Amino acid sequence: MDPDLLPHVFDRFFKADAARARSDGSGLGLAIALENARLHGGSIDVANPPGGGALFRITLPRRPTPPAARPETFSPPRAEPR
């Protein structure tokens, strides 16, 4: 994977090959995977291993992480009780 693309692979709607804009994918899969990892107190990262390709690593805690200690994630506003 092009090293210049690594910082962007988790961006919503990102596609590595702009020439393939009409591909079946929406470019949301890795953004969703990242959010799921964060919601569970974990992380996901990507690297270029020797020999080519891309290596994705997801790390999750063995025990639940208290919400206050989790990385900041998007939370939609809650409706006011009636």
Side-chain angles (χ1 to χ4, degrees):
M1 180 177 287
D2 182 341
D4 291 337
L5 299 178
L6 293 178
H8 304 286
V9 297
F10 297 106
D11 294 349
R12 291 180 181 157
F13 307 109
F14 177 78
K15 294 185 180 185
D17 188 351
R20 299 178 68 194
R22 299 198 68 177
S23 66
D24 290 337
S26 64
L28 289 173
L30 291 173
I32 292 169
L34 176 61
E35 186 65 14
N36 281 336
R38 287 179 175 167
L39 287 171
H40 288 88
S43 63
I44 186 170
D45 55 44
V46 61
N48 282 330
L55 174 67
F56 291 86
R57 179 180 53 198
I58 186 167
T59 306
L60 297 171
R62 289 184 182 203
R63 294 184 178 86
T65 305
R70 292 182 191 161
E72 186 176 324
T73 58
F74 171 76
S75 297
R78 295 180 184 224
E80 292 292 321
R82 294 181 178 193

